[in-house]
Amino acid sequence: MLYLIGMGLHDERDLSLKAVEALRGCERVYLESYTSCFNGDINRLQEMLGKEVVLLDRKDLEENPEENVLAGGEVGLIVMGDPMVATTHSDLVLRAREKGAEVKVIHSSSVYSAIAETGLQIYKFGRTTTIAYPEGDYFPKSPYEALKENHMRGLHTLLLLDVKADEGRYMTVNEGIKYLLMMEESCLQNQFKKDSKCVGVARLGGDTAIRYGTAEEVIKEEFGGPPHILIVPGKMHYMEEEMLKAYEV
């Protein structure tokens, strides 16, 4: 049996009672540490479960799962947020089933629901996209295209920010705004300028920081540690506007 278990948004205290019960019954427990940021204490987590928790990086899970989570027996894999949000975990489910293993998913809170804390209504979000760190000549403009597509429909855009856990790099709201402005300079389609409104969010589910204002204003704010996300609102209902006033800079 492979248990895919959502940690929730912040630390080990976000695990559900159902998740803790399942993990205590596992022979081996792993924590996937590269699709988001674990702000908890691995020692406290191990004390809570009464067993060792092994950290896995991208290579461990995507290239060599047969050496860890798919090695057989009762295995628990803890994932930040909800385990089925990242596509890499869908691939893991398929590979487990190919080996004849049963898979049990225990869901948890995710950024996709927690963003409602900003006051923006969930059903008014369009396609989600990720801003990636530029690498040499690699600087994908797909986030800008998603933003344009959502703007045309009056929808909000959730921009996830790049995570390179193996390098200790977690993109900040400030960097995300900078890269979007660079895309605007390149694409020139008036989708995101210095006077465009945006919402910067850090550490949902923990010591949350939310700031709302123009790109020029929000980029100057200090958001603290990861993880961060960026939201560009579309057409807003008056209640959304009222809710966001609490976070204006």
Side-chain angles (χ1 to χ4, degrees):
M1 171 76 81
L2 170 61
Y3 289 93
L4 284 177
I5 294 177
M7 171 76 79
L9 291 166
H10 192 66
D11 61 25
E12 66 280 351
R13 294 172 297 174
D14 291 322
L15 282 170
S16 68
L17 292 175
K18 182 186 291 185
V20 171
E21 184 178 275
L23 288 166
R24 285 175 176 167
C26 289
E27 299 167 29
R28 303 187 310 282
V29 176
Y30 300 95
L31 172 61
E32 180 263 275
S33 61
Y34 67 88
T35 55
S36 188
C37 175
F38 174 52
N39 280 311
D41 185 313
I42 191 71
N43 292 320
R44 282 207 309 257
L45 176 60
Q46 292 179 140
E47 289 174 9
M48 179 191 301
L49 301 179
K51 58 187 60 193
E52 180 185 15
V53 177
V54 179
L55 291 174
L56 297 181
D57 60 22
R58 183 182 296 274
K59 184 176 181 180
D60 292 326
L61 203 55
E62 294 186 358
E63 297 181 19
N64 306 304
E66 290 79 11
E67 297 178 8
N68 41 74
V69 295
L70 298 184
E74 296 282 311
V75 179
L77 174 63
I78 306 171
V79 177
M80 293 306 300
D82 186 274
M84 298 313 297
V85 170
T87 54
T88 186
H89 303 129
S90 295
D91 177 68
L92 193 62
V93 169
L94 293 174
R95 294 169 77 165
R97 288 173 177 166
E98 286 176 1
K99 293 175 68 68
E102 187 177 352
V103 179
K104 171 69 174 177
V105 178
I106 298 179
H107 295 281
S108 190
S109 52
S110 164
V111 64
Y112 283 98
S113 56
I115 51 175
E117 186 175 344
T118 63
L120 295 172
Q121 297 168 0
I122 293 297
Y123 70 91
K124 293 178 65 179
F125 276 81
R127 180 160 67 96
T128 299
T129 186
T130 299
I131 301 177
Y133 278 115
E135 301 285 349
D137 295 331
Y138 174 75
F139 186 34
K141 307 296 193 306
S142 52
Y144 189 86
E145 293 303 317
L147 178 60
K148 178 182 176 182
E149 175 187 311
N150 290 339
H151 266 167
M152 291 174 64
R153 300 168 62 196
L155 301 175
H156 311 317
T157 303
L158 170 61
L159 297 123
L160 304 177
L161 303 179
D162 204 359
V163 171
K164 293 189 177 297
D166 56 334
E167 301 174 16
R169 297 170 67 200
Y170 300 87
M171 187 180 292
T172 64
V173 167
N174 318 76
E175 290 173 313
I177 292 173
K178 179 183 73 173
Y179 293 136
L180 268 187
L181 290 172
M182 289 170 60
M183 293 178 203
E184 178 62 54
E185 289 179 6
S186 174
C187 299
L188 297 174
Q189 296 184 44
N190 296 318
Q191 297 301 312
F192 192 80
K193 300 183 291 184
K194 289 183 178 181
D195 61 353
S196 296
K197 294 286 190 176
C198 61
V199 186
V201 185
R203 297 173 307 284
L204 278 168
D207 56 329
T208 305
I210 302 175
R211 303 287 185 271
Y212 171 61
T214 65
E216 190 172 31
E217 292 169 335
V218 176
I219 199 172
K220 297 174 184 176
E221 292 293 303
E222 173 57 51
F223 286 88
H228 293 190
I229 59 170
L230 179 63
I231 301 170
V232 179
K235 185 177 181 180
M236 289 192 284
H237 186 272
Y238 76 91
M239 286 184 63
E240 293 177 299
E241 293 176 339
E242 285 297 310
M243 288 286 287
L244 280 172
K245 284 181 180 179
Y247 307 117
E248 282 184 325
V249 298

mmCIF file of all heavy atoms in Angstrom, residues 3-11 14-16 19 31-32 35-37 61 77-90 93 104-114 160 204:
data_model
loop_
_atom_site.group_PDB
_atom_site.id
_atom_site.type_symbol
_atom_site.label_atom_id
_atom_site.label_comp_id
_atom_site.label_asym_id
_atom_site.label_seq_id
_atom_site.Cartn_x
_atom_site.Cartn_y
_atom_site.Cartn_z
ATOM 1 N N TYR A 3 0.557 5.209 0.587
ATOM 2 C CA TYR A 3 -0.267 6.320 1.050
ATOM 3 C C TYR A 3 0.330 7.630 0.541
ATOM 4 O O TYR A 3 1.496 7.929 0.811
ATOM 5 C CB TYR A 3 -0.317 6.364 2.579
ATOM 6 C CG TYR A 3 -1.120 5.267 3.225
ATOM 7 C CD1 TYR A 3 -0.511 4.088 3.638
ATOM 8 C CD2 TYR A 3 -2.493 5.417 3.432
ATOM 9 C CE1 TYR A 3 -1.243 3.077 4.242
ATOM 10 C CE2 TYR A 3 -3.235 4.411 4.037
ATOM 11 C CZ TYR A 3 -2.607 3.246 4.440
ATOM 12 O OH TYR A 3 -3.339 2.246 5.037
ATOM 13 N N LEU A 4 -0.455 8.394 -0.202
ATOM 14 C CA LEU A 4 -0.068 9.749 -0.591
ATOM 15 C C LEU A 4 -0.804 10.694 0.352
ATOM 16 O O LEU A 4 -2.037 10.772 0.324
ATOM 17 C CB LEU A 4 -0.457 10.035 -2.038
ATOM 18 C CG LEU A 4 0.423 9.411 -3.116
ATOM 19 C CD1 LEU A 4 -0.134 9.734 -4.496
ATOM 20 C CD2 LEU A 4 1.852 9.920 -3.011
ATOM 21 N N ILE A 5 -0.045 11.407 1.165
ATOM 22 C CA ILE A 5 -0.644 12.146 2.273
ATOM 23 C C ILE A 5 -0.299 13.630 2.200
ATOM 24 O O ILE A 5 0.874 14.009 2.126
ATOM 25 C CB ILE A 5 -0.172 11.552 3.616
ATOM 26 C CG1 ILE A 5 -0.729 10.128 3.753
ATOM 27 C CG2 ILE A 5 -0.598 12.427 4.788
ATOM 28 C CD1 ILE A 5 -0.282 9.397 4.982
ATOM 29 N N GLY A 6 -1.327 14.461 2.225
ATOM 30 C CA GLY A 6 -1.121 15.902 2.209
ATOM 31 C C GLY A 6 -0.705 16.415 3.579
ATOM 32 O O GLY A 6 -1.351 16.120 4.579
ATOM 33 N N MET A 7 0.372 17.196 3.590
ATOM 34 C CA MET A 7 0.836 17.813 4.829
ATOM 35 C C MET A 7 -0.027 19.015 5.199
ATOM 36 O O MET A 7 -0.211 19.343 6.369
ATOM 37 C CB MET A 7 2.295 18.266 4.668
ATOM 38 C CG MET A 7 2.831 19.113 5.807
ATOM 39 S SD MET A 7 3.212 18.154 7.282
ATOM 40 C CE MET A 7 4.790 17.443 6.811
ATOM 41 N N GLY A 8 -0.577 19.672 4.178
ATOM 42 C CA GLY A 8 -1.201 20.962 4.421
ATOM 43 C C GLY A 8 -0.236 22.062 4.026
ATOM 44 O O GLY A 8 0.764 21.829 3.351
ATOM 45 N N LEU A 9 -0.507 23.258 4.480
ATOM 46 C CA LEU A 9 0.181 24.424 3.932
ATOM 47 C C LEU A 9 1.489 24.812 4.611
ATOM 48 O O LEU A 9 2.322 25.468 4.000
ATOM 49 C CB LEU A 9 -0.765 25.628 3.983
ATOM 50 C CG LEU A 9 -1.948 25.548 3.021
ATOM 51 C CD1 LEU A 9 -2.993 26.583 3.391
ATOM 52 C CD2 LEU A 9 -1.476 25.753 1.591
ATOM 53 N N HIS A 10 1.685 24.428 5.865
ATOM 54 C CA HIS A 10 2.804 25.061 6.570
ATOM 55 C C HIS A 10 3.748 24.081 7.266
ATOM 56 O O HIS A 10 4.915 23.985 6.909
ATOM 57 C CB HIS A 10 2.258 26.057 7.589
ATOM 58 C CG HIS A 10 3.297 26.967 8.169
ATOM 59 N ND1 HIS A 10 3.968 27.908 7.420
ATOM 60 C CD2 HIS A 10 3.785 27.078 9.434
ATOM 61 C CE1 HIS A 10 4.818 28.559 8.187
ATOM 62 N NE2 HIS A 10 4.733 28.073 9.406
ATOM 63 N N ASP A 11 3.259 23.362 8.284
ATOM 64 C CA ASP A 11 4.166 22.498 9.037
ATOM 65 C C ASP A 11 3.461 21.225 9.495
ATOM 66 O O ASP A 11 2.318 20.964 9.113
ATOM 67 C CB ASP A 11 4.795 23.252 10.219
ATOM 68 C CG ASP A 11 3.766 23.756 11.230
ATOM 69 O OD1 ASP A 11 2.665 23.170 11.312
ATOM 70 O OD2 ASP A 11 4.062 24.737 11.941
ATOM 71 N N ASP A 14 -0.212 20.681 10.613
ATOM 72 C CA ASP A 14 -1.320 20.706 9.659
ATOM 73 C C ASP A 14 -1.762 19.306 9.236
ATOM 74 O O ASP A 14 -2.776 19.165 8.537
ATOM 75 C CB ASP A 14 -0.925 21.504 8.409
ATOM 76 C CG ASP A 14 -0.768 22.988 8.703
ATOM 77 O OD1 ASP A 14 -1.559 23.508 9.506
ATOM 78 O OD2 ASP A 14 0.140 23.620 8.142
ATOM 79 N N LEU A 15 -1.018 18.280 9.615
ATOM 80 C CA LEU A 15 -1.434 16.914 9.293
ATOM 81 C C LEU A 15 -2.751 16.584 9.992
ATOM 82 O O LEU A 15 -2.938 16.895 11.170
ATOM 83 C CB LEU A 15 -0.373 15.910 9.740
ATOM 84 C CG LEU A 15 0.870 15.746 8.862
ATOM 85 C CD1 LEU A 15 1.905 14.904 9.593
ATOM 86 C CD2 LEU A 15 0.517 15.113 7.523
ATOM 87 N N SER A 16 -3.654 15.933 9.272
ATOM 88 C CA SER A 16 -4.929 15.534 9.876
ATOM 89 C C SER A 16 -4.730 14.326 10.787
ATOM 90 O O SER A 16 -3.723 13.608 10.695
ATOM 91 C CB SER A 16 -5.942 15.193 8.782
ATOM 92 O OG SER A 16 -5.558 14.008 8.108
ATOM 93 N N ALA A 19 -4.356 11.322 8.727
ATOM 94 C CA ALA A 19 -3.027 11.191 8.145
ATOM 95 C C ALA A 19 -2.035 10.627 9.160
ATOM 96 O O ALA A 19 -1.246 9.725 8.852
ATOM 97 C CB ALA A 19 -2.544 12.547 7.636
ATOM 98 N N LEU A 31 9.203 12.160 3.086
ATOM 99 C CA LEU A 31 8.694 13.522 2.919
ATOM 100 C C LEU A 31 9.268 14.092 1.635
ATOM 101 O O LEU A 31 10.486 14.198 1.483
ATOM 102 C CB LEU A 31 9.085 14.402 4.110
ATOM 103 C CG LEU A 31 8.787 15.903 3.991
ATOM 104 C CD1 LEU A 31 7.287 16.153 3.829
ATOM 105 C CD2 LEU A 31 9.315 16.653 5.220
ATOM 106 N N GLU A 32 8.388 14.407 0.705
ATOM 107 C CA GLU A 32 8.805 15.017 -0.566
ATOM 108 C C GLU A 32 9.072 16.494 -0.317
ATOM 109 O O GLU A 32 8.196 17.218 0.162
ATOM 110 C CB GLU A 32 7.694 14.807 -1.600
ATOM 111 C CG GLU A 32 7.992 15.380 -2.961
ATOM 112 C CD GLU A 32 7.384 16.738 -3.149
ATOM 113 O OE1 GLU A 32 6.215 16.821 -3.531
ATOM 114 O OE2 GLU A 32 8.103 17.732 -2.901
ATOM 115 N N THR A 35 8.588 20.197 -4.208
ATOM 116 C CA THR A 35 7.535 20.926 -4.916
ATOM 117 C C THR A 35 7.047 22.139 -4.133
ATOM 118 O O THR A 35 6.375 23.005 -4.685
ATOM 119 C CB THR A 35 6.326 20.018 -5.232
ATOM 120 O OG1 THR A 35 5.860 19.413 -4.025
ATOM 121 C CG2 THR A 35 6.711 18.940 -6.229
ATOM 122 N N SER A 36 7.384 22.203 -2.837
ATOM 123 C CA SER A 36 7.063 23.380 -2.045
ATOM 124 C C SER A 36 8.031 23.444 -0.873
ATOM 125 O O SER A 36 9.029 22.721 -0.848
ATOM 126 C CB SER A 36 5.613 23.343 -1.558
ATOM 127 O OG SER A 36 5.263 24.573 -0.948
ATOM 128 N N CYS A 37 7.713 24.293 0.086
ATOM 129 C CA CYS A 37 8.626 24.532 1.203
ATOM 130 C C CYS A 37 8.013 24.028 2.507
ATOM 131 O O CYS A 37 6.901 24.418 2.864
ATOM 132 C CB CYS A 37 8.912 26.031 1.296
ATOM 133 S SG CYS A 37 9.919 26.510 2.702
ATOM 134 N N LEU A 61 12.451 10.861 -6.372
ATOM 135 C CA LEU A 61 11.044 10.538 -6.592
ATOM 136 C C LEU A 61 10.697 10.356 -8.063
ATOM 137 O O LEU A 61 9.879 9.500 -8.412
ATOM 138 C CB LEU A 61 10.165 11.631 -5.984
ATOM 139 C CG LEU A 61 8.732 11.229 -5.632
ATOM 140 C CD1 LEU A 61 8.720 10.020 -4.711
ATOM 141 C CD2 LEU A 61 8.010 12.391 -4.973
ATOM 142 N N LEU A 77 4.023 8.567 1.816
ATOM 143 C CA LEU A 77 4.730 9.700 1.221
ATOM 144 C C LEU A 77 3.975 10.971 1.590
ATOM 145 O O LEU A 77 2.824 11.163 1.190
ATOM 146 C CB LEU A 77 4.818 9.575 -0.299
ATOM 147 C CG LEU A 77 5.426 10.784 -1.023
ATOM 148 C CD1 LEU A 77 6.880 11.003 -0.602
ATOM 149 C CD2 LEU A 77 5.323 10.626 -2.538
ATOM 150 N N ILE A 78 4.624 11.836 2.357
ATOM 151 C CA ILE A 78 4.020 13.103 2.765
ATOM 152 C C ILE A 78 4.382 14.172 1.743
ATOM 153 O O ILE A 78 5.543 14.315 1.357
ATOM 154 C CB ILE A 78 4.518 13.533 4.158
ATOM 155 C CG1 ILE A 78 4.304 12.416 5.182
ATOM 156 C CG2 ILE A 78 3.807 14.803 4.606
ATOM 157 C CD1 ILE A 78 4.961 12.691 6.526
ATOM 158 N N VAL A 79 3.371 14.909 1.321
ATOM 159 C CA VAL A 79 3.541 15.943 0.300
ATOM 160 C C VAL A 79 2.987 17.250 0.846
ATOM 161 O O VAL A 79 1.913 17.272 1.452
ATOM 162 C CB VAL A 79 2.784 15.556 -0.991
ATOM 163 C CG1 VAL A 79 2.894 16.656 -2.030
ATOM 164 C CG2 VAL A 79 3.309 14.236 -1.538
ATOM 165 N N MET A 80 3.693 18.352 0.626
ATOM 166 C CA MET A 80 3.179 19.650 1.054
ATOM 167 C C MET A 80 1.902 19.985 0.283
ATOM 168 O O MET A 80 1.773 19.678 -0.896
ATOM 169 C CB MET A 80 4.223 20.744 0.831
ATOM 170 C CG MET A 80 5.452 20.623 1.719
ATOM 171 S SD MET A 80 5.058 20.535 3.479
ATOM 172 C CE MET A 80 4.204 22.106 3.734
ATOM 173 N N GLY A 81 0.956 20.627 0.967
ATOM 174 C CA GLY A 81 -0.318 20.954 0.339
ATOM 175 C C GLY A 81 -1.161 19.710 0.173
ATOM 176 O O GLY A 81 -1.207 18.835 1.043
ATOM 177 N N ASP A 82 -1.836 19.610 -0.970
ATOM 178 C CA ASP A 82 -2.621 18.422 -1.302
ATOM 179 C C ASP A 82 -1.805 17.555 -2.257
ATOM 180 O O ASP A 82 -1.232 18.072 -3.222
ATOM 181 C CB ASP A 82 -3.944 18.822 -1.958
ATOM 182 C CG ASP A 82 -4.843 17.619 -2.176
ATOM 183 O OD1 ASP A 82 -4.697 16.953 -3.220
ATOM 184 O OD2 ASP A 82 -5.668 17.334 -1.297
ATOM 185 N N PRO A 83 -1.739 16.247 -2.035
ATOM 186 C CA PRO A 83 -0.820 15.412 -2.811
ATOM 187 C C PRO A 83 -1.127 15.305 -4.294
ATOM 188 O O PRO A 83 -0.242 14.975 -5.080
ATOM 189 C CB PRO A 83 -0.926 14.038 -2.133
ATOM 190 C CG PRO A 83 -2.223 14.052 -1.416
ATOM 191 C CD PRO A 83 -2.432 15.472 -0.992
ATOM 192 N N MET A 84 -2.361 15.571 -4.716
ATOM 193 C CA MET A 84 -2.689 15.372 -6.120
ATOM 194 C C MET A 84 -2.661 16.656 -6.941
ATOM 195 O O MET A 84 -3.072 16.670 -8.103
ATOM 196 C CB MET A 84 -4.060 14.699 -6.248
ATOM 197 C CG MET A 84 -4.112 13.316 -5.617
ATOM 198 S SD MET A 84 -2.713 12.245 -6.068
ATOM 199 C CE MET A 84 -2.961 12.099 -7.835
ATOM 200 N N VAL A 85 -2.164 17.743 -6.379
ATOM 201 C CA VAL A 85 -2.074 18.993 -7.135
ATOM 202 C C VAL A 85 -0.887 18.966 -8.094
ATOM 203 O O VAL A 85 -0.995 19.375 -9.248
ATOM 204 C CB VAL A 85 -1.984 20.201 -6.181
ATOM 205 C CG1 VAL A 85 -1.653 21.472 -6.950
ATOM 206 C CG2 VAL A 85 -3.311 20.374 -5.437
ATOM 207 N N ALA A 86 0.261 18.476 -7.640
ATOM 208 C CA ALA A 86 1.446 18.406 -8.500
ATOM 209 C C ALA A 86 1.341 17.205 -9.443
ATOM 210 O O ALA A 86 1.052 16.086 -9.011
ATOM 211 C CB ALA A 86 2.711 18.292 -7.651
ATOM 212 N N THR A 87 1.575 17.427 -10.730
ATOM 213 C CA THR A 87 1.425 16.358 -11.726
ATOM 214 C C THR A 87 2.407 15.215 -11.500
ATOM 215 O O THR A 87 2.136 14.081 -11.887
ATOM 216 C CB THR A 87 1.616 16.910 -13.149
ATOM 217 O OG1 THR A 87 2.865 17.604 -13.222
ATOM 218 C CG2 THR A 87 0.494 17.872 -13.508
ATOM 219 N N THR A 88 3.543 15.486 -10.877
ATOM 220 C CA THR A 88 4.523 14.430 -10.634
ATOM 221 C C THR A 88 3.942 13.327 -9.755
ATOM 222 O O THR A 88 4.319 12.161 -9.868
ATOM 223 C CB THR A 88 5.809 15.007 -9.992
ATOM 224 O OG1 THR A 88 6.787 13.979 -9.906
ATOM 225 C CG2 THR A 88 5.539 15.544 -8.592
ATOM 226 N N HIS A 89 2.975 13.676 -8.905
ATOM 227 C CA HIS A 89 2.390 12.664 -8.032
ATOM 228 C C HIS A 89 1.354 11.818 -8.766
ATOM 229 O O HIS A 89 1.133 10.655 -8.410
ATOM 230 C CB HIS A 89 1.793 13.331 -6.793
ATOM 231 C CG HIS A 89 2.810 14.150 -6.044
ATOM 232 N ND1 HIS A 89 2.598 15.452 -5.681
ATOM 233 C CD2 HIS A 89 4.075 13.843 -5.645
ATOM 234 C CE1 HIS A 89 3.684 15.912 -5.073
ATOM 235 N NE2 HIS A 89 4.584 14.963 -5.044
ATOM 236 N N SER A 90 0.738 12.362 -9.806
ATOM 237 C CA SER A 90 -0.141 11.556 -10.651
ATOM 238 C C SER A 90 0.678 10.485 -11.361
ATOM 239 O O SER A 90 0.248 9.328 -11.487
ATOM 240 C CB SER A 90 -0.847 12.441 -11.687
ATOM 241 O OG SER A 90 -1.712 13.358 -11.056
ATOM 242 N N VAL A 93 1.322 7.691 -8.978
ATOM 243 C CA VAL A 93 0.155 6.820 -8.811
ATOM 244 C C VAL A 93 0.087 5.804 -9.949
ATOM 245 O O VAL A 93 -0.138 4.606 -9.732
ATOM 246 C CB VAL A 93 -1.141 7.654 -8.759
ATOM 247 C CG1 VAL A 93 -2.367 6.754 -8.860
ATOM 248 C CG2 VAL A 93 -1.194 8.474 -7.477
ATOM 249 N N LYS A 104 -3.664 4.860 -1.675
ATOM 250 C CA LYS A 104 -4.659 5.562 -0.873
ATOM 251 C C LYS A 104 -4.230 7.017 -0.739
ATOM 252 O O LYS A 104 -3.102 7.305 -0.328
ATOM 253 C CB LYS A 104 -4.773 4.923 0.516
ATOM 254 C CG LYS A 104 -5.628 5.696 1.509
ATOM 255 C CD LYS A 104 -7.101 5.670 1.157
ATOM 256 C CE LYS A 104 -7.928 6.339 2.254
ATOM 257 N NZ LYS A 104 -9.372 6.390 1.903
ATOM 258 N N VAL A 105 -5.121 7.946 -1.100
ATOM 259 C CA VAL A 105 -4.822 9.376 -1.020
ATOM 260 C C VAL A 105 -5.548 9.979 0.176
ATOM 261 O O VAL A 105 -6.754 9.781 0.347
ATOM 262 C CB VAL A 105 -5.249 10.109 -2.307
ATOM 263 C CG1 VAL A 105 -4.968 11.610 -2.182
ATOM 264 C CG2 VAL A 105 -4.525 9.534 -3.517
ATOM 265 N N ILE A 106 -4.804 10.706 1.006
ATOM 266 C CA ILE A 106 -5.395 11.448 2.120
ATOM 267 C C ILE A 106 -5.159 12.930 1.841
ATOM 268 O O ILE A 106 -4.029 13.412 1.882
ATOM 269 C CB ILE A 106 -4.783 11.026 3.469
ATOM 270 C CG1 ILE A 106 -5.061 9.539 3.723
ATOM 271 C CG2 ILE A 106 -5.352 11.882 4.602
ATOM 272 C CD1 ILE A 106 -4.476 9.009 5.015
ATOM 273 N N HIS A 107 -6.228 13.627 1.535
ATOM 274 C CA HIS A 107 -6.129 15.012 1.084
ATOM 275 C C HIS A 107 -5.881 15.981 2.237
ATOM 276 O O HIS A 107 -6.071 15.654 3.410
ATOM 277 C CB HIS A 107 -7.406 15.403 0.341
ATOM 278 C CG HIS A 107 -7.614 14.640 -0.923
ATOM 279 N ND1 HIS A 107 -6.953 14.941 -2.090
ATOM 280 C CD2 HIS A 107 -8.400 13.559 -1.198
ATOM 281 C CE1 HIS A 107 -7.329 14.094 -3.031
ATOM 282 N NE2 HIS A 107 -8.196 13.245 -2.517
ATOM 283 N N SER A 108 -5.464 17.198 1.864
ATOM 284 C CA SER A 108 -5.257 18.242 2.859
ATOM 285 C C SER A 108 -5.470 19.607 2.210
ATOM 286 O O SER A 108 -5.814 19.704 1.029
ATOM 287 C CB SER A 108 -3.848 18.140 3.454
ATOM 288 O OG SER A 108 -3.720 18.999 4.577
ATOM 289 N N SER A 109 -5.256 20.661 2.982
ATOM 290 C CA SER A 109 -5.441 22.018 2.478
ATOM 291 C C SER A 109 -4.407 22.326 1.398
ATOM 292 O O SER A 109 -3.310 21.779 1.385
ATOM 293 C CB SER A 109 -5.327 23.029 3.618
ATOM 294 O OG SER A 109 -4.127 22.834 4.341
ATOM 295 N N SER A 110 -4.792 23.208 0.495
ATOM 296 C CA SER A 110 -3.949 23.551 -0.645
ATOM 297 C C SER A 110 -4.018 25.045 -0.908
ATOM 298 O O SER A 110 -4.977 25.721 -0.514
ATOM 299 C CB SER A 110 -4.431 22.781 -1.884
ATOM 300 O OG SER A 110 -3.903 23.327 -3.072
ATOM 301 N N VAL A 111 -3.020 25.549 -1.611
ATOM 302 C CA VAL A 111 -3.025 26.957 -2.002
ATOM 303 C C VAL A 111 -4.268 27.287 -2.818
ATOM 304 O O VAL A 111 -4.770 28.412 -2.782
ATOM 305 C CB VAL A 111 -1.743 27.294 -2.803
ATOM 306 C CG1 VAL A 111 -1.695 26.524 -4.115
ATOM 307 C CG2 VAL A 111 -1.639 28.785 -3.081
ATOM 308 N N TYR A 112 -4.807 26.294 -3.524
ATOM 309 C CA TYR A 112 -5.953 26.545 -4.394
ATOM 310 C C TYR A 112 -7.219 26.905 -3.624
ATOM 311 O O TYR A 112 -8.127 27.518 -4.177
ATOM 312 C CB TYR A 112 -6.208 25.335 -5.294
ATOM 313 C CG TYR A 112 -5.225 25.257 -6.431
ATOM 314 C CD1 TYR A 112 -4.112 24.429 -6.345
ATOM 315 C CD2 TYR A 112 -5.380 26.039 -7.566
ATOM 316 C CE1 TYR A 112 -3.188 24.372 -7.375
ATOM 317 C CE2 TYR A 112 -4.458 25.991 -8.593
ATOM 318 C CZ TYR A 112 -3.366 25.159 -8.498
ATOM 319 O OH TYR A 112 -2.442 25.117 -9.508
ATOM 320 N N SER A 113 -7.294 26.524 -2.377
ATOM 321 C CA SER A 113 -8.424 26.951 -1.550
ATOM 322 C C SER A 113 -8.020 28.099 -0.630
ATOM 323 O O SER A 113 -8.805 29.020 -0.381
ATOM 324 C CB SER A 113 -8.960 25.786 -0.715
ATOM 325 O OG SER A 113 -7.937 25.221 0.083
ATOM 326 N N ALA A 114 -6.785 28.066 -0.149
ATOM 327 C CA ALA A 114 -6.338 29.060 0.830
ATOM 328 C C ALA A 114 -6.232 30.469 0.258
ATOM 329 O O ALA A 114 -6.287 31.447 1.012
ATOM 330 C CB ALA A 114 -4.990 28.637 1.422
ATOM 331 N N LEU A 160 2.042 30.823 -9.532
ATOM 332 C CA LEU A 160 2.931 30.119 -8.617
ATOM 333 C C LEU A 160 4.358 30.550 -8.933
ATOM 334 O O LEU A 160 4.680 30.883 -10.078
ATOM 335 C CB LEU A 160 2.768 28.611 -8.784
ATOM 336 C CG LEU A 160 1.339 28.078 -8.616
ATOM 337 C CD1 LEU A 160 1.295 26.577 -8.882
ATOM 338 C CD2 LEU A 160 0.794 28.396 -7.236
ATOM 339 N N LEU A 204 0.948 31.118 3.339
ATOM 340 C CA LEU A 204 -0.448 30.817 3.654
ATOM 341 C C LEU A 204 -0.516 29.648 4.630
ATOM 342 O O LEU A 204 0.183 28.654 4.478
ATOM 343 C CB LEU A 204 -1.208 30.451 2.374
ATOM 344 C CG LEU A 204 -1.706 31.615 1.521
ATOM 345 C CD1 LEU A 204 -2.162 31.109 0.166
ATOM 346 C CD2 LEU A 204 -2.838 32.362 2.226
#
